[in-house]
């Protein structure tokens, strides 16, 4: 059952060195505040999982938190590359980063399989693709009913899932509105989960077919206003497009990145 904790306590209690951690959120509701707390606590040797690694993973990789990245697309949306990720892969700074690349479809299927408690996911993708040449986690099997050749990938069952949402009720149930990615499946697949929210309310006012994460599936709920900024939270604030453009210049240079990290993550955290 969900506990209401501070961000510092939730991360300290639930994310440990060497864990496999997924921080999901598609286009909006990206859990930046939680990622910054991981950086502040200097958690190391994480295997980071995300369908679309963007700025938050670029920051965590550049801060030395990660040893491996499992992903299906990586970049600064609408701008270009993730320069801290590239520096880690190509030059080993601040430490060497191992990468394992999948398609979006395979990762979505793997999360769904993890949420269902299954050991693997089966899909029609990858037949004729070059990804199996560089990803030894992609195998091929024969359907026992039709004889069709299908791809199989291990299910994603992370130690910790971290997502951001609009609001929680006082029992710890959480409502996600707007574009929903793979957050629900990530939380259900994980051993532990942290959900940051904009606010706590008496009634979620969830509509028909709303995406509600039940309290029993969540380890910790954290009130973190603007916890998804510079991405956006539908109904609360817009995307800070200017920052995504600025990040390209900040991330290209190691010293500029370290200065930004000190001013905007470590010093900001100390002031809170």
């Amino acid at each position: 059952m969900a506990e209401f904790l501070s961000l510092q306590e939730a991360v300290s209690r639930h994310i440990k060195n060497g864990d496999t951690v997924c921080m999901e959120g598609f286009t909006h509701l990206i859990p930046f505040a939680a990622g910054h707390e991981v950086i502040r606590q200097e958690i190391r040797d994480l295997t980071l999982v995300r369908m679309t690694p963007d700025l938050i993973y670029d920051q965590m990789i550049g801060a030395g938190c990660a040893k491996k990245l499992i992903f299906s697309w990586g970049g600064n949306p609408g701008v270009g590359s993730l320069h801290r990720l590239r520096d880690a892969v190509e030059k080993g700074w601040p430490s060497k980063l191992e990468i394992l690349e999948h398609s979006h479809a395979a990762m979505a299927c793997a999360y769904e399989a993890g949420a269902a408690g299954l050991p693997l996911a089966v899909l029609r993708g990858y037949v004729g693709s070059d990804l199996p040449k560089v990803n030894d986690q992609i195998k091929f099997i024969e359907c026992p009913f039709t004889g069709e050749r299908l791809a199989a990938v291990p299910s994603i069952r992370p130690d910790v899932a971290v997502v951001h949402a609009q609001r929680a009720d006082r029992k710890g149930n959480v409502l996600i509105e707007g574009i929903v990615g793979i957050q629900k499946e990530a939380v259900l697949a994980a051993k532990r989960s942290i959900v940051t929210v904009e606010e706590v309310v008496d009634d979620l006012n969830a509509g028909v077919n709303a995406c509600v994460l039940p309290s029993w599936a969540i380890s910790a709920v954290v009130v973190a206003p603007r916890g998804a900024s510079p991405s956006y939270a539908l109904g609360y604030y817009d995307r800070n497009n200017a920052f995504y453009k600025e990040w390209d210049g900040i991330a290209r240079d190691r010293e500029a990145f370290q200065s930004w990290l000190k001013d905007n993550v470590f010093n900001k955290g100390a002031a809170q």
Side-chain angles (χ1 to χ4, degrees):
M1 297 295 288
E3 289 186 274
F4 287 88
L5 301 174
S6 69
L7 184 54
Q8 187 278 334
E9 186 176 6
V11 169
S12 176
R13 186 179 300 185
H14 293 294
I15 303 180
K16 306 298 182 182
N17 291 339
D19 276 351
T20 295
V21 178
C22 66
M23 294 189 171
E24 288 293 348
F26 187 71
T27 303
H28 80 143
L29 298 177
I30 298 170
F32 276 90
H36 290 170
E37 184 59 32
V38 170
I39 293 172
R40 280 192 291 271
Q41 294 191 23
E42 299 184 334
I43 300 173
R44 295 290 183 261
D45 297 324
L46 299 177
T47 294
L48 296 178
V49 185
R50 182 168 161 78
M51 288 183 67
T52 54
D54 55 6
L55 271 58
I56 186 55
Y57 274 15
D58 209 29
Q59 293 165 7
M60 293 174 69
I61 291 165
C65 299
K67 68 175 181 181
K68 183 176 181 179
L69 175 67
I70 301 173
F71 71 111
S72 54
W73 177 89
N76 183 341
V79 179
S81 292
L82 295 175
H83 301 293
R84 292 301 89 223
L85 188 160
R86 290 192 63 165
D87 203 6
V89 171
E90 296 173 359
K91 299 179 181 179
W93 192 94
S95 58
K96 189 66 178 177
L97 182 72
E98 179 185 351
I99 58 173
L100 194 67
E101 185 176 0
H102 276 292
S103 68
H104 275 351
M107 288 199 67
C109 290
Y111 271 122
E112 289 177 345
L118 297 172
L120 57 82
V122 178
L123 65 154
R124 284 198 171 94
Y126 289 141
V127 176
S129 166
D130 281 339
L131 269 176
K133 297 177 182 178
V134 296
N135 183 341
D136 62 5
Q137 297 297 296
I138 300 169
K139 307 294 183 182
F140 291 94
I141 61 174
E142 182 180 296
C143 174
F145 303 105
T146 66
E148 182 180 3
R149 188 171 187 254
L150 300 168
V153 296
S155 60
I156 295 175
R157 306 188 75 177
D159 295 306
V160 192
V162 183
V163 302
H164 187 75
Q166 278 90 350
R167 51 192 177 271
D169 66 19
R170 303 192 187 283
K171 295 180 180 179
N173 303 299
V174 170
L175 176 67
I176 301 177
E177 292 185 305
I179 298 173
V180 177
I182 204 74
Q183 295 101 310
K184 174 183 69 176
E185 290 80 2
V187 167
L188 292 174
K191 298 174 185 175
R192 307 180 296 280
S193 58
I194 298 171
V195 182
T196 55
V197 297
E198 294 295 322
E199 61 176 337
V200 176
V201 296
D202 292 326
D203 191 333
L204 292 178
N205 291 315
V208 176
N209 294 326
C211 181
V212 176
L213 302 178
S215 175
W216 57 260
I218 300 168
S219 304
V221 173
V222 175
V223 179
R226 299 193 64 84
S229 182
S231 74
Y232 74 98
L234 181 70
Y236 289 80
Y237 45 88
D238 295 331
R239 187 178 191 266
N240 184 351
N241 291 318
F243 181 77
Y244 281 79
K245 294 179 181 179
E246 292 168 6
W247 183 253
D248 187 71
I250 294 167
R252 281 179 183 272
D253 181 79
R254 293 177 184 176
E255 290 186 5
F257 166 71
Q258 290 175 310
S259 178
W260 179 89
L261 205 63
K262 178 180 178 181
D263 292 341
N264 294 277
V265 177
F266 287 105
N267 286 350
K268 183 178 180 182
Q272 289 176 342

